[in-house]
Amino acid sequence: MSAKKPKKIILKVDNITVQRPFGGPILENISFDVYEGEFLSIVGASGGGKSTLLRSLAGLFPPVSGKIYFRDEEMRAPRVEVGLVYQSYALFPWRTALENVEFGLELRNIPRVKRRQVAVEALELMGLSEDKDKFPIELSGGMQQRVAIAREIVNKPKVLMLDEGFSALDVQTCRQTEEQLLHLQAKFKMTIILVTHMLEQALALSDRVIVISDGEIKETLELDGGKRPRDIDQPEFRKLLRSTEALIRPTPKIETFVRDLAGV
Amino acid sequence: MVMRRYQRLLLNIFSVVSVVLLWHYLSANNLISPLFLPPPERLVETFVEMALSGELFLDIGMSTVRILIGFIVAFLVAVPLGLLAGSNDIIRNLLKPWVQLLQPIPGVAWVPFAFLLFGLSNSAAVFIIGIAAFFPVFINVMTGVQTLDRDLINVAKTLGANKLQMITKVILPGVVPDLIAGSRVGIGLAWRAVVAAEMIGLPQGIGSVLIDAENTAQTDVMVVCMITLSVLMMIFEKMIFESLEKRVERWKGIDEE
């Protein structure tokens, strides 16, 4: 009997505290590991620090203390291996879908013919070959998101992070994009980190779910393997959903205030 | 009421033709003195005379060259400074009091100062035009950089953009709409300033023809110069801005009329 292969850490978050330039901490003493090839979701109420955490992982918002490592290297700046898809998709409005996807390759001086070919293939993969010459404003929210994902995958990131990537999509587009994301993860063997306030989605897609509330990790849920997305109508799934929902609710501010006063 | 393109064009033509006909009627019946407004056919004759003698084109050419050089100088200084001020708080706040102090001064008000500094020379013209065109371009570029979506900058960072690539591939294209708007205003102000400078003392140029015509009571020459000036400004705008604006309108989702 062969021993189970240990999971390789791709991102290590080591006791980080992230603070506003002129304010208190947004995240305090956060530590966790992200494993190669896993689908990790970070959930929590709005304003709980999820997006800030993602920006820190992307190297855009450095922690005031603690460290973040990509493999064994400390992350001090953004790197191409760690891609981020923004909530607003952040497509360059003056570039067509194709030109947006080409952007990262252009930065690395990949010859025009080669980068065009790679970008066209990525758009085909995302089902957007017909729309490659459209500007972002001419695309629907779902299409914009797929362009933003294509823009990242042409750079072959090891970790793809999505910040509330599904919040602006209708249910049907959301389901299609979820399937597409799982397909991409399998195809490119990527690690995916999804930040979302949609707990049901996180539980349906992920290997692990980290619950963040009031700037702290409240819980880390290890979910079983099997087919994903999970069947959200199963009684076990509903039960898990209800118990996790309670963890997400932010502490009422008055309660925090009284606790602070009492020094608890 | 939504109008078709040809209907709008017909209305434009109708408006111009009816005013010209009215003007012709008033002049032909001596209801208006030719000293104040010569008949339209006289203006056509004057235009042809001035064009054939080469006098008009020489002066137009002089004004245009002054504008082009002055504007290019203003543009080359205003764009990098605007980019710097837009992206750096310290530089912005160092420049702010000077911009607030100097920007409200009309280009024409710089004319005596420029003459004192450079004499009645083309350098004075370039200085006046440069000052007039600088502020709108600078302020628009600075504001454009300040209001550029931060996520676009962050995306470029995560995709590996270096500082030069950030400027050439993200910030500059992102501020093109502001640059166009600023340049439009800048060129308009530059024309006003150069015509005023030519009227006050600069040799040659369309402004100097205008003032000579006023001194010799040649109203037809004055009107021909004014109309030529207006047409010239329209051509300038179309040549420089129209193709750029077409693309910007498409990515901004502005419907063409």
Side-chain angles (χ1 to χ4, degrees):
Chain A
M1 195 180 87
S2 64
K4 200 178 171 186
K5 228 172 139 183
K7 288 189 275 187
K8 267 192 182 167
I9 295 171
I10 191 157
L11 274 177
K12 185 172 186 64
V13 179
D14 187 12
N15 201 28
I16 62 163
T17 294
V18 180
Q19 205 167 313
R20 291 183 188 91
F22 303 104
I26 309 168
L27 300 164
E28 237 175 334
N29 305 323
I30 301 270
S31 292
F32 63 92
D33 296 332
V34 183
Y35 302 107
E36 259 180 31
E38 81 167 328
F39 195 124
L40 172 74
S41 287
I42 299 170
V43 296
S46 299
K50 310 183 299 285
S51 296
T52 308
L53 176 59
L54 216 54
R55 273 156 212 252
S56 289
L57 294 180
L60 294 166
F61 202 165
V64 288
S65 67
K67 282 173 181 167
I68 298 169
Y69 297 91
F70 174 77
R71 294 202 164 126
D72 289 327
E73 253 178 80
E74 190 186 335
M75 278 210 32
R76 294 171 190 273
R79 48 195 305 159
V80 186
E81 295 97 325
V82 182
L84 173 60
V85 175
Y86 287 78
Q87 186 170 8
S88 62
Y89 314 128
L91 297 177
F92 300 111
W94 57 89
R95 286 175 165 252
T96 61
L98 185 65
E99 289 165 348
N100 260 285
V101 177
E102 281 181 317
F103 185 78
L105 306 170
E106 207 176 299
L107 296 180
R108 277 181 280 138
N109 299 319
I110 308 279
R112 189 185 164 83
V113 178
K114 173 73 183 160
R115 67 174 190 247
R116 191 130 287 199
Q117 182 200 338
V118 173
V120 166
E121 279 169 16
L123 283 171
E124 266 170 22
L125 188 70
M126 302 308 291
L128 287 169
S129 39
E130 299 285 309
D131 306 290
K132 66 179 175 11
D133 294 322
K134 288 185 180 163
F135 285 95
I137 201 151
E138 297 167 324
L139 301 170
S140 69
M143 288 162 141
Q144 287 187 35
Q145 193 207 32
R146 281 182 278 155
V147 174
I149 294 174
R151 182 172 62 184
E152 293 300 328
I153 60 170
V154 291
N155 300 297
K156 300 191 173 71
K158 298 289 172 210
V159 181
L160 180 65
M161 306 194 288
L162 294 101
D163 185 8
E164 296 282 5
F166 302 87
S167 54
L169 307 183
D170 60 77
V171 179
Q172 202 186 345
T173 316
C174 191
R175 295 285 167 266
Q176 282 171 359
T177 317
E178 283 171 6
E179 299 266 1
Q180 220 157 14
L181 200 58
L182 290 169
H183 171 69
L184 287 176
Q185 187 195 15
K187 187 177 166 78
F188 296 106
K189 300 192 174 22
M190 285 185 297
T191 302
I192 291 186
I193 303 178
L194 171 69
V195 151
T196 179
H197 66 278
M198 294 152 81
L199 182 59
E200 189 179 88
Q201 182 185 52
L203 294 173
L205 296 172
S206 314
D207 297 306
R208 268 192 321 148
V209 175
I210 290 178
V211 181
I212 284 197
S213 183
D214 299 325
E216 292 169 13
I217 293 182
K218 292 284 173 201
E219 182 82 63
T220 302
L221 302 167
E222 299 269 353
L223 303 169
D224 57 6
K227 189 183 173 297
R228 286 176 301 157
R230 296 182 179 88
D231 185 354
I232 56 170
D233 294 321
Q234 286 286 320
E236 299 86 51
F237 187 91
R238 305 310 303 176
K239 199 175 151 193
L240 177 67
L241 181 64
R242 276 194 299 276
S243 61
T244 318
E245 263 169 357
L247 296 167
I248 292 184
R249 285 189 206 109
T251 317
K253 294 293 175 223
I254 184 73
E255 201 182 316
T256 320
F257 179 68
V258 172
R259 268 196 206 164
D260 285 349
L261 272 182
V264 181
Chain B
M1 187 176 77
V2 180
M3 296 177 83
R4 288 177 185 279
R5 198 188 175 95
Y6 80 90
Q7 288 174 315
R8 290 197 298 265
L9 192 66
L10 275 178
L11 266 181
N12 296 160
I13 293 170
F14 172 76
S15 169
V16 174
V17 169
S18 46
V19 168
V20 172
L21 284 177
L22 179 69
W23 175 6
H24 173 74
Y25 173 81
L26 293 172
S27 303
N29 292 287
N30 288 324
L31 293 168
I32 187 163
S33 161
L35 192 64
F36 294 116
L37 191 63
E41 55 274 18
R42 173 73 200 129
L43 293 185
V44 177
E45 284 165 22
T46 308
F47 176 78
V48 174
E49 275 169 29
M50 288 174 78
L52 288 178
S53 72
E55 175 197 5
L56 184 64
F57 295 120
L58 206 70
D59 287 297
I60 288 175
M62 180 53 82
S63 296
T64 309
V65 168
R66 284 172 178 161
I67 288 283
L68 276 178
I69 296 174
F71 183 75
I72 289 170
V73 170
F75 191 87
L76 291 178
V77 179
V79 172
L81 263 185
L83 291 175
L84 268 173
S87 49
N88 188 305
D89 274 352
I90 297 172
I91 294 175
R92 184 166 55 250
N93 284 298
L94 283 173
L95 293 175
K96 197 176 168 182
W98 297 106
V99 173
Q100 283 177 337
L101 186 76
L102 300 176
Q103 188 250 337
I105 302 172
V108 186
W110 288 96
V111 174
F113 185 67
F115 285 172
L116 199 70
L117 219 62
F118 301 102
L120 298 178
S121 65
N122 282 329
S123 306
V126 169
F127 176 80
I128 297 159
I129 294 162
I131 292 269
F134 171 81
F135 288 105
V137 177
F138 169 77
I139 291 171
N140 271 270
V141 170
M142 181 180 71
T143 315
V145 176
Q146 280 181 280
T147 53
L148 192 65
D149 183 355
R150 291 295 107 177
D151 280 351
L152 299 181
I153 308 262
N154 286 337
V155 161
K157 274 187 196 164
T158 54
L159 290 172
N162 59 32
K163 280 190 178 157
L164 183 66
Q165 288 171 327
M166 190 66 85
I167 293 170
T168 56
K169 292 184 186 293
V170 182
I171 298 175
L172 263 179
V175 299
V176 162
D178 307 275
L179 193 55
I180 293 175
S183 301
R184 267 218 152 127
V185 177
I187 284 209
L189 293 177
W191 269 109
R192 284 165 184 77
V194 79
V195 170
E198 288 167 351
M199 285 169 80
I200 294 171
L202 280 181
Q204 285 188 304
I206 207 147
S208 82
V209 180
L210 259 173
I211 205 71
D212 288 348
E214 193 250 322
N215 289 337
T216 50
Q218 288 177 286
T219 321
D220 51 343
V221 174
M222 273 165 62
V223 178
V224 164
C225 283
M226 284 157 72
I227 294 174
T228 311
L229 191 61
S230 167
V231 172
L232 205 63
M233 284 171 78
M234 277 195 319
I235 294 171
F236 236 77
E237 262 207 21
K238 281 219 181 283
M239 258 171 45
I240 300 177
F241 301 115
E242 207 169 68
S243 62
L244 266 173
E245 226 161 28
K246 276 238 160 72
R247 192 172 157 100
V248 169
E249 277 171 3
R250 200 182 151 201
W251 67 255
K252 284 207 140 194
I254 300 166
D255 287 330
E256 276 180 63
E257 255 200 274

